[in-house]
């Protein structure tokens, strides 16, 4: 394919209807403060991992809510669980627990498979 | 007939201003076009932020206007106004002639007509409603789709007819964000199985206790907030509504099917206000609302001597702001009458 310079363009649209949002529902239930996020970006601004990689906890929150699972897994690995984000969040989201739970959710999914 | 003050408009502002002026011992006539008083308030069910029943506020206002110095003339509008030797002579639609020292303009606002924003399909798709339509459904305790089923997925579109050059209104109507949040909560309470999505450009929760309501909507009622301006709405074969929106926080377009859409209609200068601005030669601003002589200390003052403003005829205001503004108008009028004597 590359020889001819063709590639298949993936649709960029977030397809809310077919996306699996079970992780979002899981977090809403186990860490209700997850619902309070207003996507302000305070967490990403202070995040050590975000300073050196393309990781954004704020963006991760959106992706989880919309069920964009492809991108979630790789992002989750970048967090170092330092907890700085929890200190700055204006809405009192327990961000570290969100990440820990999200990582565990992945494990339980893998175990289920 | 002679009176000290004529109040034009019998909504919240007109009632409050008239009542306060009468309490101070002056004679007041209120001219209300419609057959009932209360203005836009009668179309609302519960009020933000504490979900007070609008009837409670109407009850308060009906009490305020109960005064022997106060005449309430409903189904009466202004036909013409003349001013001679400092006295305004008003001819009403019922043929009455009223001479008055001062006038309070309390002509309120009109809700933006949602069909003007054609791309949202109001009046075209059967399950697109306005915020005022939803209030009626709440009052009737029945929120249903046209086919009689209960909506499962409901979208609230913010800024319909506000902050939109295409609608001719670049200003923010200030109260529709909190209205959306309030209505989202009411929907979730009435239809616990439903999912509610607010599509917003900015969440403007500037009033007392508004932000707390927003937090409650997220935490307690799981209302979803998606930042992005809905550009258009379509209908699928199955009757579902498809919104076109960018999820600006994800930086990608979003496709979503909804059963029902509620448009958060903005506030505009009222038709009645426009007529009065011509009859009395009153200045209006770029936003078409009446223009006060000063934004800081003269918001009740007009460019005409003896003519004062009360309430949303100068800008969008909440009920508590309207009541305070009308009280302030009463103070200005009373001072004017005292100094004229
Ligand atoms: S806990 Fe993770 S997301 Fe939060 S600041 Fe530390 S590295 Fe960033
Ligand atoms: S700081 Fe808190 S509210 Fe802001 S984006 Fe991060 S988690 Fe959300
Ligand atoms: S209050 Fe909110 S919905 Fe209303 S015009 Fe302003 S930003 Fe838009």
């Amino acid at each position: 394919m590359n020889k001819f310079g063709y590639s298949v363009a993936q649709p960029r649209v977030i397809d809310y209807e077919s996306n699996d949002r079970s992780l979002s529902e899981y977090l809403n239930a186990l860490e209700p403060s997850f619902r309070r996020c207003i996507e302000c970006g305070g967490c990403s601004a202070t995040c050590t991992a975000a300073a050196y990689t393309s990781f954004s906890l704020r963006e991760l929150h959106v992706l989880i809510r919309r069920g964009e699972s492809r991108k979630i897994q790789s992002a989750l690995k970048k967090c170092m669980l330092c907890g700085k984000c929890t200190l700055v969040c204006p809405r009192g989201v327990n961000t570290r627990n969100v990440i820990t739970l999200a990582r565990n959710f992945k494990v339980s999914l893998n175990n289920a498979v | 007939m002679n009176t000290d003050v004529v109040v034009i408009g019998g909504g919240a502002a007109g009632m409050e201003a008239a009542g306060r002026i009468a309490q101070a011992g002056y004679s007041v006539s209120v001219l209300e076009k419609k057959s009932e008083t209360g203005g836009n308030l009668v179309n609302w069910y519960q009020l933000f932020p504490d979900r007070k029943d609008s009837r409670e506020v109407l009850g308060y206002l009906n009490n305020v206007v109960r005064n022997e110095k106060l005449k309430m003339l409903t189904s009466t509008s202004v036909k013409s106004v003349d001013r001679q030797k400092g006295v305004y002579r008003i001819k009403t639609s019922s043929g009455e002639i009223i001479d008055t020292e001062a006038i309070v303009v309390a002509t309120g606002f009109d809700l933006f007509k949602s069909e003007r924003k054609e791309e949202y399909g109001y009046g075209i798709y059967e399950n697109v409603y306005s915020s005022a339509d939803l209030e009626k459904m709440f009052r009737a305790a029945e929120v249903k789709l046209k086919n009689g089923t209960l909506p499962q997925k409901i979208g609230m579109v913010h800024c319909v007819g506000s902050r939109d050059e295409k609608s001719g209104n670049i200003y923010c109507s200030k109260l529709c964000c909190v209205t959306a949040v309030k209505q989202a909560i009411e929907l979730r309470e009435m239809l616990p199985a439903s999912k509610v999505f607010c599509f917003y450009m900015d969440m403007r929760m500037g009033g007392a206790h508004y932000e707390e309501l927003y937090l409650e909507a997220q935490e307690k009622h799981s209302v979803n907030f998606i930042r992005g301006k809905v550009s258009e709405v379509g209908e699928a074969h199955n009757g579902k509504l498809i919104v076109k929106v960018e999820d600006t926080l994800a930086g990608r377009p979003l496709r979503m099917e909804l059963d029902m859409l509620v448009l958060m209609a903005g506030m505009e200068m009222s038709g009645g206000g426009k007529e009065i601005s011509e009859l009395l030669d009153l200045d209006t601003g770029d936003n078409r609302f009446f223009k006060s002589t000063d934004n800081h200390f003269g918001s009740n003052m007009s460019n005409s001597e003896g003519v004062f403003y009360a309430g949303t005829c100068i800008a969008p205001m909440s009920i508590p702001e309207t009541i305070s503004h009308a009280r302030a108008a009463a103070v200005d009028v009373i001072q004017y009458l005292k100094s004229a004597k």
Side-chain angles (χ1 to χ4, degrees), chain B residues 56-72:
Chain B
E56 255 186 77
V57 179
L58 286 168
Y60 157 80
L61 291 167
N62 286 330
N63 245 340
V64 168
V65 294
R66 207 166 291 137
N67 190 308
E68 54 179 22
K69 302 287 269 175
L70 192 151
K71 271 208 189 88
M72 183 63 73

Side-chain angles (χ1 to χ4, degrees), chain A residues 12-17 25 32-33 35-39 58-59 62-63 66 68 70-71 91, chain B residues 153 195 197 211 214-215 218-220 222 225-226 247 249-257:
Chain A
R12 290 189 69 249
V13 66
I14 299 173
D15 192 343
Y16 197 85
E17 303 314 321
E25 274 149 32
S33 73
R35 306 175 190 186
R36 305 166 64 127
C37 174
I38 47 171
E39 308 293 347
R58 179 203 62 74
E59 192 186 21
V62 188
L63 297 175
R66 307 291 181 258
E68 288 289 292
R70 274 172 298 143
K71 299 199 172 177
R91 281 262 161 153
Chain B
K153 272 167 87 186
K195 286 197 158 66
F197 302 85
E211 186 72 17
Y214 175 20
L215 181 59
Q218 288 180 299
E219 191 163 42
K220 217 168 133 202
S222 299
F225 292 87
I226 298 179
D247 188 329
L249 295 166
R252 285 164 55 203
L254 178 89
R255 204 193 84 92
M256 192 186 283
E257 285 181 4

Side-chain angles (χ1 to χ4, degrees), chain A residues 49 55 76-85 95-101 103:
Chain A
F55 173 59
L76 274 171
K77 289 186 197 128
K78 295 184 184 151
C79 165
M80 302 173 290
L81 291 177
C82 68
K84 275 169 81 182
C85 47
T95 43
R96 255 183 57 165
N97 197 34
V98 166
I99 294 164
T100 312
L101 287 170
R103 283 179 175 172

Side-chain angles (χ1 to χ4, degrees), chain A residues 36-44 57-58 61 65 85 88-93 95:
Chain A
R36 305 166 64 127
C37 174
I38 47 171
E39 308 293 347
C40 69
C43 50
S44 313
L57 181 54
R58 179 203 62 74
H61 272 134
R65 273 176 219 279
C85 47
V88 301
C89 176
R91 281 262 161 153
V93 178
T95 43

Side-chain angles (χ1 to χ4, degrees), chain B residues 61-226:
Chain B
L61 291 167
N62 286 330
N63 245 340
V64 168
V65 294
R66 207 166 291 137
N67 190 308
E68 54 179 22
K69 302 287 269 175
L70 192 151
K71 271 208 189 88
M72 183 63 73
L73 305 169
T74 49
S75 305
T76 307
S77 56
V78 178
K79 270 273 156 291
S80 68
V81 189
D82 275 320
R83 192 172 195 223
Q84 280 157 10
K85 293 189 211 118
V87 174
Y88 287 96
R89 170 161 289 191
I90 296 178
K91 273 195 197 135
T92 71
S93 54
S94 52
E96 202 164 350
I97 292 173
I98 308 174
D99 286 341
T100 181
E101 304 264 318
I103 296 175
V104 176
V105 176
T107 45
F109 70 94
D110 282 349
L111 214 59
F112 177 83
K113 299 226 172 346
S114 297
E115 52 269 38
R116 267 167 59 199
K117 202 77 190 145
E118 207 180 331
E119 56 270 42
Y120 292 161
Y122 186 84
I124 302 171
Y125 307 129
E126 57 180 14
N127 289 312
V128 179
Y129 298 91
S130 75
S131 42
D133 297 337
L134 189 60
E135 292 290 326
K136 259 186 231 143
M137 294 191 235
F138 285 146
R139 178 65 82 195
E142 194 174 68
V143 177
K144 272 188 184 167
L145 298 175
K146 278 279 147 57
N147 66 10
T149 61
L150 300 178
Q152 299 293 313
K153 272 167 87 186
I154 307 162
M156 324 288 282
V157 183
H158 289 225
C159 302
V160 177
S162 310
R163 301 181 69 198
D164 176 21
E165 199 197 64
K166 299 292 180 288
S167 308
N169 297 334
I170 60 163
Y171 57 87
C172 165
S173 291
K174 205 172 95 168
L175 308 170
C176 7
C177 273
V178 63
T179 299
V181 169
K182 183 209 70 141
Q183 294 189 333
I185 292 175
E186 289 168 307
L187 282 167
R188 289 279 298 124
E189 283 177 353
M190 254 183 136
L191 306 164
S194 68
K195 286 197 158 66
V196 180
F197 302 85
C198 289
F199 298 98
Y200 68 96
M201 296 203 282
D202 295 292
M203 287 301 289
R204 297 194 163 173
M205 308 301 286
H209 315 301
Y210 293 7
E211 186 72 17
E212 290 88 329
L213 200 68
Y214 175 20
L215 181 59
E216 187 192 321
Q218 288 180 299
E219 191 163 42
K220 217 168 133 202
H221 305 279
S222 299
V223 177
N224 302 281
F225 292 87
I226 298 179

